[in-house]
Amino acid sequence: SQKIEQNSEALNIQEGKTATLTCNYTNYSPAYLQWYRQDPGRGPVFLLLIRENEKEKRKERLKVTFDTTLKQSLFHITASQPADSATYLCALDMDSNYQLIWGAGTKLIIKP
Amino acid sequence: NAGVTQTPKFQVLKTGQSMTLQCAQDMNHNSMYWYRQDPGMGLRLIYYSASEGTTDKGEVPNGYNVSRLNKREFSLRLESAAPSQTSVYFCASSEDPTVNTEAFFGQGTRLTVV
């Protein structure tokens, strides 16, 4: 069965440094991958989408890479700020295009 | 624009009781979804509606029913609540997932079944 792994342990980063989060998957070849941010008590909010034929995508301080050989996506936040503290979720598509497979998320804590 | 609105935000049920979670979106999206989120697990799809008039089972549909009332509204019903259904429920919508568009989520309903 499809499986997505994100670091279950919280990631503590000093303000101003680059935070890197990992999303690994097995037994699947997704057409695209999405990253979301979730704050406590709130629903996920879409950040970036990267397609299988794209190696890298950027949006302001955010960068996502997608390595279909390694079956891995990396999510980077440069010049991190305490306001970036949240849980970050990755999600992969399924063939039907109506169902996403979600990782459990990684909690990111940016310390001042 | 309110986006996706869910009601209620919190609910406590006794085992065997029934309830309906309401969801409405004002973005004219075709597709709507119901997910549950449990600690340490990814979001799991309960049911989805690809377009008005259609509904399909997701990964964990047992114990739930849905109704796509119109293009705006998609409700989730628990006929006989069980403690295993204690979870946070999210409704989401997207314009057209066949073109890989993003999903917009409501703020969630925290349900406890005792």
Side-chain angles (χ1 to χ4, degrees), chain A residues 32 36 38 43 49 51 97-98, chain B residues 33 37 42 50 90 97 100 102-103:
Chain A
Y32 63 89
Y36 288 75
Q38 187 174 23
L49 179 151
R51 302 180 194 281
N97 285 327
Y98 290 99
Chain B
Y33 313 82
Q37 187 175 41
F90 288 101
N100 304 336
E102 65 189 84

Side-chain angles (χ1 to χ4, degrees), chain A residues 15-45:
Chain A
E15 182 178 6
K17 302 293 186 182
T18 296
T20 298
L21 286 71
T22 304
C23 177
N24 294 304
Y25 59 93
T26 59
N27 300 333
Y28 195 61
S29 297
Y32 63 89
L33 184 149
Q34 300 185 20
W35 283 90
Y36 288 75
R37 168 183 174 142
Q38 187 174 23
D39 292 288
R42 308 294 294 271
V45 175

Side-chain angles (χ1 to χ4, degrees), chain B:
Chain B
N1 269 355
V4 178
T5 303
Q6 291 182 235
T7 56
K9 291 186 179 180
F10 302 94
Q11 184 70 50
V12 179
L13 288 179
K14 293 183 178 179
T15 297
Q17 286 186 319
S18 63
M19 79 161 295
T20 299
L21 280 64
Q22 306 287 352
C23 175
Q25 52 92 9
D26 61 3
M27 295 171 283
N28 202 36
H29 285 170
N30 291 312
S31 301
M32 298 185 73
Y33 313 82
W34 277 105
Y35 288 94
R36 61 178 289 172
Q37 187 175 41
D38 300 293
M41 300 182 70
L43 289 162
R44 291 184 293 169
L45 185 65
I46 305 171
Y47 271 92
Y48 66 96
S49 172
S51 60
E52 185 179 357
T54 68
T55 60
D56 284 286
K57 295 179 181 180
E59 181 186 355
V60 289
N62 291 345
Y64 306 95
N65 284 302
V66 291
S67 295
R68 184 75 181 266
L69 304 171
N70 48 56
K71 192 170 186 179
R72 290 186 64 250
E73 299 172 287
F74 189 39
S75 63
L76 177 72
R77 181 160 179 84
L78 285 71
E79 291 292 350
S80 179
S84 61
Q85 294 178 305
T86 294
S87 187
V88 181
Y89 291 85
F90 288 101
C91 177
S93 70
S94 63
E95 183 177 1
D96 182 355
T98 60
V99 293
N100 304 336
T101 56
E102 65 189 84
F104 293 79
F105 284 80
Q107 77 276 25
T109 296
R110 187 173 294 275
L111 175 67
T112 302
V113 182
V114 298

